[in-house]
Amino acid sequence: MKIDIHSHIVDRHYNDALIGDLELQAEKTPSGQTLFRRNGYTFLWERPDMFDIPGRLRKMDDQGIDMRVLSLSTPNVYEWRGARQVEMTRHVNDATAALVRSHPDRFAGLSSLPLDDVPASLKELDRVAELGLCGVMIGSNVGGVPINDARFEPIWARIDALRMPVFEHPMFPANTGAEEFEMPLRIGFVFDTTAAAARLIYSGIFERYPNFPYILAHTGGALLMVLERLDNGYRLFPDCRKHIGRLPSEYAKHLYYDTCSFFGPALKMAHELVGAEHLLWGSDDPFIGADSSHVDKLDLPSADKAKILGGNAARLLRI
């Protein structure tokens, strides 16, 4: 069974609300995309086919994909505040659940949380099972607030008690300003994923709450590349040992990583460091929409590929 862990719901009401509330500037491209720009970089983009569910199902058939796990992409619901964030969270979770109910053999879904409001997030976690969703998606920062901030401790505790899978997707870094060359998307995402994972490790989230699967998008950004630097921080600086009792690399080996770096050498390194049991195939559909060739062509045992292409996702998400 081939399961895509990294695929996104694209919802018309959500997009229109972001575009209107944030006053994004639209820019049409010859390829048929519409880029919505802020401070000189693309903040959101869409194409008509992203909203075409029958078309997306046909693409799955053409690529031999059994199931996609849908989550909300950047910027999630974090650009809103207060009651509006709660309202939009409930909307996108309901919309995701409706798609899953309509095609239960093709789609699974991850919920979002209105993390600006911790009590509301805890209530929304109670709704996840009722909606038929199999986990949560959490961004790499929440409106600029690091996800290891103490205010989120009750959420991590509840997720751990529920043993609920978490998929972490990057957000634009908090210090993103006027940029060129689409650097927030090309490099900013990688930076923010890496920083978020390092913060979670050093702050002891995975030490205090070891019972839930944590899956990092884009093969963990640069986390696996910098593990020795993080370990050296633990050896050298008391602040890096304050909340944890083991080397950061030991925690990193217990996390999970999708394959959306799409880069063979990076995937081989990830396989060497964390093993096939901790890798999950992803396509980043419909924004990238890769097939599974970046995994298929790796020189790995067929049993390892089977785990990466679907076995691990089925196990973690109980599909």
Side-chain angles (χ1 to χ4, degrees):
M1 188 176 190
K2 189 180 291 186
I3 302 173
D4 179 6
I5 192 65
H6 187 154
S7 181
H8 297 296
I9 179 172
V10 184
D11 178 74
R12 181 77 272 164
H13 176 69
Y14 167 84
N15 277 22
D16 287 347
L18 269 181
I19 293 161
D21 291 353
L22 302 185
E23 298 182 343
L24 303 177
Q25 302 301 307
E27 179 183 312
K28 298 282 188 180
T29 71
S31 65
Q33 292 192 126
T34 303
L35 311 180
F36 294 96
R37 311 272 286 168
R38 184 169 77 169
N39 295 330
Y41 66 92
T42 299
F43 187 79
L44 178 76
W45 80 95
E46 63 182 49
R47 301 182 309 270
D49 64 282
M50 292 180 175
F51 303 92
D52 178 8
I53 297 304
R56 292 185 69 179
L57 288 168
R58 288 193 297 272
K59 182 178 179 180
M60 290 171 65
D61 291 338
D62 291 342
Q63 293 183 332
I65 300 167
D66 296 290
M67 180 172 282
R68 293 199 196 274
V69 182
L70 301 173
S71 58
L72 194 61
S73 188
T74 310
N76 206 283
V77 297
Y78 308 145
E79 289 293 323
W80 292 289
R81 293 290 181 268
R84 179 67 164 152
Q85 189 180 102
V86 176
E87 172 195 347
M88 290 305 301
T89 301
R90 292 180 67 88
H91 167 77
V92 296
N93 289 344
D94 288 344
T96 304
L99 267 179
V100 172
R101 286 194 300 271
S102 297
H103 305 280
D105 57 336
R106 307 308 302 275
F107 294 134
L110 301 174
S111 64
S112 294
L113 297 176
L115 291 169
D116 194 44
D117 184 332
V118 169
S121 293
L122 294 172
K123 288 182 180 178
E124 195 65 13
L125 279 171
D126 291 336
R127 280 210 322 142
V128 171
E130 297 173 17
L131 290 172
L133 302 177
C134 58
V136 296
M137 192 278 251
I138 289 180
S140 55
N141 72 77
V142 182
V145 178
I147 53 175
N148 65 299
D149 190 279
R151 75 190 72 179
F152 302 130
E153 197 80 7
I155 294 170
W156 294 118
R158 178 70 64 81
I159 286 171
D160 189 67
L162 295 170
R163 298 176 180 261
M164 182 176 288
V166 173
F167 179 69
E168 180 267 301
H169 191 277
M171 300 289 109
F172 293 108
N175 61 348
T176 298
E179 292 278 5
E180 59 182 351
F181 309 127
E182 302 292 0
M183 294 292 278
L185 283 168
R186 299 303 92 210
I187 302 298
F189 274 17
V190 175
F191 167 80
D192 217 55
T193 290
T194 307
R199 287 176 179 275
L200 290 173
I201 290 171
Y202 276 138
S203 66
I205 293 295
F206 301 124
E207 174 127 326
R208 295 190 294 281
Y209 308 116
N211 299 311
F212 67 96
Y214 190 83
I215 306 160
L216 291 105
H218 306 139
T219 322
L223 179 68
L224 297 177
M225 285 287 294
V226 300
L227 285 183
E228 187 58 27
R229 290 186 64 83
L230 298 182
D231 284 356
N232 279 334
Y234 177 89
R235 297 181 184 109
L236 292 169
F237 304 116
D239 193 47
C240 295
R241 299 190 295 272
K242 185 176 180 180
H243 303 289
I244 55 176
R246 292 179 288 157
L247 291 170
S249 59
E250 293 301 312
Y251 298 94
K253 290 173 184 176
H254 291 280
L255 306 181
Y256 296 85
Y257 304 82
D258 77 11
T259 65
C260 286
S261 66
F262 305 121
F263 186 44
L267 296 176
K268 286 198 287 187
M269 179 186 69
H271 180 268
E272 180 180 348
L273 290 175
V274 303
E277 293 80 6
H278 288 260
L279 297 176
L280 297 89
W281 172 67
S283 74
D284 207 348
D285 188 76
F287 299 102
I288 302 296
D291 60 20
S292 62
S293 60
H294 60 283
V295 174
D296 295 333
K297 64 187 179 184
L298 293 174
D299 184 18
L300 297 177
S302 58
D304 283 8
K305 290 183 181 180
K307 292 174 185 176
I308 296 167
L309 291 172
N312 292 333
R315 171 173 54 87
L316 294 179
L317 303 180
R318 300 173 187 173
I319 293 172

